[in-house]
Amino acid sequence: MDINFNKNEDHNKLKLAELRKKLTQVKLGGGKKRIEKHHSKGKMTARERIDYLLDNETENIEIGAFAGEGMYEEHGGCPSGGVVVKIGYIQGKQCVVVANDATVKAGAWFPITGKKNLRAQEISIENKLPIIYLVDSAGVYLPMQDEIFPDKEHFGRIFRNNAVMSSMGITQISAVMGSCVAGGAYLPIMSDEAMIVDKTGSIFLAGSYLVKAAIGESIDNETLGGATTHSEVSGVTDYKAKNDKDALDKIKRIVGKIGDFEKAGFNRIEPKDPTENPKDIYGILPLSRGDQYDMLEIIKRLVDNSEFDQYKEGYGKTILTGYARINGWAVGIVANQRKVVKTKKGEMQFGGVIYSDSADKATRFIANCNQKKIPLVFLQDVTGFMVGSKSEHGGIIKDGAKMVNAVSNSVVPKFTIVVGNSYGAGNYAMCGKAYDPRLIVAWPSAELAVMSGNSAAKVLLQIEKASLEKNGEALDAQKEKALFDRIKQRYDNQISPYYAAARLWTDAIIDPLETRKWISMGIEASNHAPLEKQFNMGVLQV
């Protein structure tokens, strides 16, 4: 190992330590005092409920752990968006579980809460996975109601999805384990089956205070909408549970009786570990996002037996394409090569940049994977498409459009790993969030933006300088540097993987060593949903 490997390793392990520290804090939800108050009511926390529900000693993945990170400080914050979402196994069946975290603003819905719930339903719909809702919420967070209530991607879309999912035959089970008020009361009742926990669960369109104000009726909440009322009088719920664990046990028994599913038929054989040490990834990934490295060495540490059969190996070298297996599943990999390469014509091409030939190669490979019904894995470390007169005259826009077209119309499941840079149109061509990856995750080394912080700061500085000069103000070298540093710091904050994860542009930030697990569980989920369309790229400018 050389000195650079050791420096890289130290740097990336520090980033990993930062990730683990942040995750530990996030998992406290509203904090230790609120957790204790929650326990004093005889209730489990959202994470405790999910842990009890999922099968012991089985793998699970969490969606949106950093949702809302740093977004609502003036409102006291909203850790994990006030809701915990995991994909795991219940009685051996892969399911999506959604649990309101009542330690965060009594489980109230912030704008990011709605977006995260919709993401959970999207995963369930795309993969036809059963979804379990563990409800404990005070409803819409009223100070921000205008950002969560009326629009297509807001609160009401949840109930629309309940209805659509039911028509698709996707199992939905709800347990009301705390408050369930106003419009939120429709979610459990639009599920296939609903249960309510005695004494702690309640469902009503309006609570006792609002009933008193609206129609003058005096009634307590338990009589108005408690477990006995809805299980024995209204018939709104199907089961009454003694406590949280009793409700979760009932869910386990129901899920355990669900019949088998029709499979998509993705190819899988006995899994094999990589022969190259996956921990080497920490030393291969450079400190700086501008430095070069060989993406092929990363791939060898992610795939079974470290075997990667390259497609068009000698052509379009700034993108690596080829077939491999991950945890036994057959995959097609599209990855940005991050080292400078030399073409057959003797020309040098920059690593991380998409050229016409590499876009053409990727387009052909994506089409091949669709024809063979092989899921696609995108490894992003891309600065964008090549610019300049030579590229423009060579039709880079046309070739890039073909690649974007292929990604957009792909019918096999797609999975995106943001390894390093994810800039501009490169993010789109390499299956960014807008292009419907089944799952998209980032490593701690990731950066997502229109361009790098350094490039963006230079552009923004020129605009700022021009504006000041127009007003007769001049900048000396010292003031110019201070302005540049201030702009760059603001932009650098926005390209952080945590900024992206807070807004659900990615589903998670993960340890690189967890990549195989995420892809494997993602393909297993996808295998629940047979492909319903044929691959068709439509009209192309050839």
Side-chain angles (χ1 to χ4, degrees):
M1 301 295 179
D2 61 21
I3 188 66
N4 285 331
F5 184 97
N6 293 333
K7 287 181 178 179
N8 292 342
E9 187 176 43
D10 290 345
H11 173 79
N12 287 310
K13 284 187 175 179
L14 281 173
K15 281 189 169 292
L16 186 58
E18 179 189 14
L19 170 62
R20 288 171 177 161
K21 183 179 178 181
K22 285 178 175 287
L23 280 171
T24 299
Q25 184 61 41
V26 156
K27 288 177 181 178
L28 291 175
K32 292 181 179 179
K33 288 185 178 179
R34 289 181 183 173
I35 290 174
E36 290 171 3
K37 185 177 179 182
H38 199 74
H39 285 161
S40 70
K41 299 175 183 177
K43 298 166 69 174
M44 304 164 75
T45 65
R47 292 183 181 277
E48 288 167 346
R49 287 166 177 167
I50 292 177
D51 288 345
Y52 184 84
L53 185 60
L54 296 180
D55 296 345
N56 293 329
E57 298 179 358
T58 59
E59 292 184 326
N60 63 78
I61 53 179
E62 181 171 352
I63 305 296
F66 290 111
E69 175 91 352
M71 290 178 64
Y72 306 108
E73 299 304 316
E74 68 276 22
H75 296 279
C78 187
S80 283
V83 62
V84 182
V85 177
K86 288 192 177 185
I87 303 173
Y89 302 89
I90 302 173
Q91 300 293 289
K93 291 181 172 60
Q94 201 174 33
C95 300
V96 180
V97 185
V98 182
N100 300 114
D101 186 350
T103 71
V104 179
K105 298 290 186 192
W109 288 55
F110 283 69
I112 198 67
T113 316
K115 186 173 182 179
K116 186 170 174 178
N117 274 268
L118 288 170
R119 176 60 177 147
Q121 289 184 320
E122 180 182 41
I123 290 170
S124 174
I125 291 169
E126 285 182 329
N127 300 293
K128 293 185 168 57
L129 288 180
I131 186 167
I132 316 300
Y133 307 102
L134 307 180
V135 184
D136 194 345
S137 172
V140 166
Y141 183 62
L142 290 178
M144 302 186 75
Q145 64 84 28
D146 61 320
E147 297 181 49
I148 181 61
F149 169 61
D151 210 344
K152 183 178 178 181
E153 282 78 34
H154 285 177
F155 190 64
R157 188 75 172 182
I158 306 291
F159 316 130
R160 175 265 185 194
N161 285 352
N162 287 145
V164 170
M165 292 163 76
S166 182
S167 73
M168 294 173 66
I170 296 172
T171 298
Q172 300 177 83
I173 302 169
S174 291
V176 179
M177 310 178 85
S179 297
C180 183
V181 300
Y186 288 105
L187 186 147
I189 312 313
M190 294 188 74
S191 300
D192 302 334
E193 295 185 82
M195 61 196 68
I196 185 169
V197 178
D198 196 20
K199 300 297 186 285
T200 57
S202 58
I203 308 171
F204 32 67
L205 295 180
S208 57
Y209 292 126
L210 186 53
V211 168
K212 177 69 174 176
I215 63 173
E217 180 184 3
S218 296
I219 189 170
D220 64 272
N221 282 336
E222 183 65 25
T223 306
L224 179 66
T228 299
T229 295
H230 285 310
S231 297
E232 301 176 18
V233 179
S234 72
V236 164
T237 55
D238 306 305
Y239 310 92
K240 181 166 74 170
K242 293 178 291 186
N243 51 42
D244 280 7
K245 286 187 177 181
D246 186 34
L248 297 170
D249 286 335
K250 289 180 188 297
I251 293 173
K252 290 181 184 183
R253 292 194 293 273
I254 293 169
V255 172
K257 295 177 179 65
I258 296 174
D260 203 0
F261 56 91
E262 184 183 354
K263 296 174 176 62
F266 301 122
N267 185 286
R268 191 181 197 188
I269 62 173
E270 185 70 24
K272 302 288 185 183
D273 291 331
T275 54
E276 300 286 348
N277 187 355
K279 292 182 180 179
D280 289 346
I281 290 172
Y282 303 132
I284 295 169
L285 275 178
L287 281 76
S288 169
R289 294 278 57 79
D291 290 347
Q292 303 285 300
Y293 66 94
D294 189 352
M295 178 64 84
L296 186 59
E297 294 303 317
I298 299 288
I299 293 172
K300 288 178 181 178
R301 286 154 178 84
L302 293 177
V303 301
D304 292 13
N305 277 332
S306 298
E307 292 175 350
F308 181 55
D309 298 317
Q310 285 204 57
Y311 171 82
K312 290 186 178 291
E313 182 176 353
Y315 176 72
K317 293 181 179 180
T318 63
I319 285 184
L320 298 169
T321 53
Y323 302 105
R325 290 189 182 275
I326 292 179
N327 204 25
W329 294 103
V331 297
I333 294 176
V334 181
N336 303 111
Q337 176 57 287
R338 277 310 316 266
K339 68 177 184 179
V340 174
V341 298
K342 191 174 184 179
T343 70
K344 290 294 183 182
K345 296 178 181 179
E347 299 171 339
M348 304 305 292
Q349 293 183 340
F350 298 105
V353 178
I354 302 175
Y355 291 76
S356 285
D357 55 356
S358 47
D360 174 64
K361 177 171 83 170
T363 301
R364 291 168 183 254
F365 181 71
I366 290 166
N368 280 343
C369 287
N370 274 272
Q371 187 177 44
K372 296 178 177 69
K373 205 158 71 170
I374 299 174
L376 285 159
V377 174
F378 292 83
L379 300 178
Q380 285 194 7
D381 195 343
V382 57
T383 53
F385 286 89
M386 191 58 191
V387 297
S389 60
K390 185 176 181 180
S391 291
E392 297 292 0
H393 296 169
I396 184 66
I397 295 175
K398 178 180 64 178
D399 292 318
K402 286 191 289 188
M403 183 176 173
V404 170
N405 188 310
V407 172
S408 303
N409 286 300
S410 182
V411 297
V412 295
K414 298 169 292 193
F415 302 90
T416 302
I417 315 298
V418 186
V419 172
N421 303 322
S422 181
Y423 297 154
N427 169 281
Y428 301 160
M430 291 295 293
C431 198
K433 183 65 181 293
Y435 291 80
D436 300 319
R438 295 292 176 97
L439 295 170
I440 176 170
V441 297
W443 289 358
S445 49
E447 292 184 355
L448 292 85
V450 171
M451 61 183 74
S452 71
N454 196 56
S455 298
K458 288 178 181 178
V459 172
L460 293 170
L461 175 64
Q462 294 306 311
I463 296 170
E464 189 73 18
K465 279 178 64 179
S467 176
L468 291 170
E469 288 169 0
K470 188 177 181 180
N471 294 326
E473 299 180 45
L475 286 178
D476 58 30
Q478 187 175 354
K479 288 181 179 178
E480 184 174 320
K481 183 181 184 304
L483 180 58
F484 174 84
D485 290 343
R486 189 166 67 250
I487 293 171
K488 186 175 184 301
Q489 182 178 6
R490 185 176 72 240
Y491 199 88
D492 282 345
N493 289 336
Q494 294 178 0
I495 68 177
S496 158
Y498 295 98
Y499 190 93
R503 289 151 183 80
L504 290 172
W505 300 343
T506 62
D507 291 317
I509 304 172
I510 66 168
D511 180 344
L513 301 189
E514 293 186 318
T515 304
R516 283 170 55 85
K517 177 180 77 172
W518 274 77
I519 294 171
S520 178
M521 288 189 67
I523 298 175
E524 182 183 349
S526 302
N527 207 33
H528 288 71
L531 302 182
E532 296 175 351
K533 295 192 300 181
Q534 294 292 320
F535 179 63
N536 183 348
M537 289 178 62
V539 177
L540 284 174
Q541 295 290 333
V542 179

